[in-house]
């Protein structure tokens, strides 16, 4: 089947390739990505190790040693597997993705946990209270998981509070809620990061000791709601 959005396929190192639908944050594109991802997950495509979805691309990792046994002289593993992927896509019919879960997430926007709130207010010439209101007054799609285990890339952010990421990363604590560009996200572990921190959630979104260590998945929906510092401290204890 001819997909409704143009794409290109390019190598990703020696053992993977990427199906790229353009550099965009778009829900319809992401739905196609997740539908394609689901199809690969249940396929019997030979030599595929795993598929990894992103905003508008899907990377396929393959068994290089097995493929080298199959390719002809002068042919690369990428050339061989690209043909396999193109055959798969030709036979693929996009289907509506299963609805993801909706998770309501408490956020404390107190200044102790919102180190960049005043900077955003000055940069955008907007009141801090309005930034907070705009951030929690809409729902967000989980477009992809990455950067840190379970870190959700959420969009799309209201243009009124959209702001570039910091020029230099800084240490960000686990649970911090931050924004950058059209995105908002949750730091699932303490880490260096360049997003602008506007609050913190007491909930934990990654636990390696659990059977399912990651709480959110691509296709889920997030709704933030504000809580005070006293409630935050009760929930985190």
């Amino acid at each position: 089947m001819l997909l409704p959005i143009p794409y290109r396929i390019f190598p990703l190192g020696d053992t993977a390739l990427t199906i790229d639908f353009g550099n965009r944050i778009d829900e319809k594109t992401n739905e196609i990505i997740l539908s394609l991802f689901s199809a690969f997950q249940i396929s019997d495509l030979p030599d595929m190790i795993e598929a990894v979805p992103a905003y508008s691309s899907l990377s396929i990792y393959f068994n290089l040693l097995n493929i080298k046994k199959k390719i002809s002289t002068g042919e690369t593993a990428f050339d061989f597997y690209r043909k396999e992927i193109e055959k798969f896509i030709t036979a693929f019919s996009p289907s509506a993705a299963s609805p993801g879960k909706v998770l309501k997430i408490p956020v404390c926007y107190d200044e102790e946990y919102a180190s960049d709130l005043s900077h955003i207010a000055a940069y955008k010439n907007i009141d801090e209270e309005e930034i907070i209101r705009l951030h929690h007054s809409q729902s967000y799609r989980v477009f992809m998981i990455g950067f840190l285990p379970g870190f959700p890339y959420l969009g799309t952010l209201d243009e009124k509070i959209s702001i570039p990421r910091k020029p230099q990363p800084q240490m960000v604590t686990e649970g911090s809620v931050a924004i950058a560009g059209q995105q908002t996200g949750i730091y699932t572990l303490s880490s260096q990061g360049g997003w602008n921190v506007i609050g913190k959630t007491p909930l934990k979104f990654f636990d390696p000791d659990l059977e399912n260590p990651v709480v959110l998945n691509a296709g889920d929906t997030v709704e933030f709601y504000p809580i005070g510092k006293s409630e935050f401290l009760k929930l985190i204890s």
Side-chain angles (χ1 to χ4, degrees):
M1 176 181 177
L2 184 64
L3 292 178
I5 301 174
Y7 67 90
R8 66 189 181 101
I9 301 176
F10 58 82
L12 186 65
D14 295 330
T15 59
L17 55 77
T18 295
I19 309 164
D20 180 57
F21 291 80
N23 185 17
R24 68 183 80 188
I25 300 177
D26 175 73
E27 186 170 335
K28 289 183 179 179
T29 301
N30 192 245
E31 286 177 350
I32 292 174
I33 294 295
L34 296 185
S35 179
L36 194 57
F37 169 68
S38 296
F40 275 115
Q41 291 289 89
I42 61 174
S43 76
D44 56 358
L45 189 69
D47 304 314
M48 186 184 81
I49 296 174
E50 67 173 328
V52 181
Y55 268 108
S56 56
S57 66
L58 182 68
S59 294
I60 307 294
Y61 290 80
F62 50 77
N63 189 315
L64 180 62
L65 294 179
N66 283 357
I67 291 175
K68 281 188 172 181
K69 298 173 184 177
K70 302 176 182 180
I71 60 179
S72 56
T73 303
E75 187 178 27
T76 66
F78 166 71
D79 291 333
F80 176 88
Y81 215 65
R82 179 182 59 189
K83 294 174 185 176
E84 294 294 315
I85 295 299
E86 288 176 338
K87 285 191 291 186
F88 183 91
I89 292 176
T90 299
F92 167 73
S93 295
S95 58
S98 300
K101 60 183 176 292
V102 178
L103 187 62
K104 297 183 183 296
I105 299 174
V107 178
C108 180
Y109 296 95
D110 185 88
E111 61 180 358
E112 180 178 344
Y113 310 118
S115 57
D116 298 307
L117 191 57
S118 60
H119 164 67
I120 299 168
Y123 184 89
K124 300 295 289 189
N125 192 26
I126 187 173
D127 291 339
E128 293 183 13
E129 292 77 10
E130 181 66 359
I131 295 171
I132 294 169
R133 187 191 69 79
L134 289 171
H135 184 258
H136 71 69
S137 63
Q138 67 174 82
S139 59
Y140 298 94
R141 176 182 177 85
V142 181
F143 279 88
M144 61 174 280
I145 300 296
F147 171 54
L148 296 170
F151 182 102
Y153 285 80
L154 310 170
T156 53
L157 195 66
D158 192 302
E159 184 62 32
K160 293 177 182 177
I161 56 174
S162 175
I163 185 171
R165 60 180 293 131
K166 299 174 183 177
Q168 294 293 332
Q170 298 175 347
M171 195 64 196
V172 181
T173 59
E174 178 183 345
S176 293
V177 177
I179 62 177
Q182 292 181 283
Q183 307 163 107
T184 185
I186 304 166
Y187 281 77
T188 54
L189 297 170
S190 296
S191 166
Q192 291 285 323
W195 289 26
N196 302 273
V197 177
I198 64 169
K200 193 170 187 177
T201 178
L203 304 186
K204 193 173 183 64
F205 288 87
F206 173 68
D207 188 341
D209 295 327
L210 297 180
E211 182 178 354
N212 296 313
V214 172
V215 173
L216 291 167
N217 295 286
D220 289 344
T221 298
V222 164
E223 297 176 355
F224 294 116
Y225 66 92
I227 59 173
K229 185 175 178 179
S230 59
E231 185 176 355
F232 173 86
L233 293 173
K234 287 180 183 177
L235 291 172
I236 206 168
S237 62

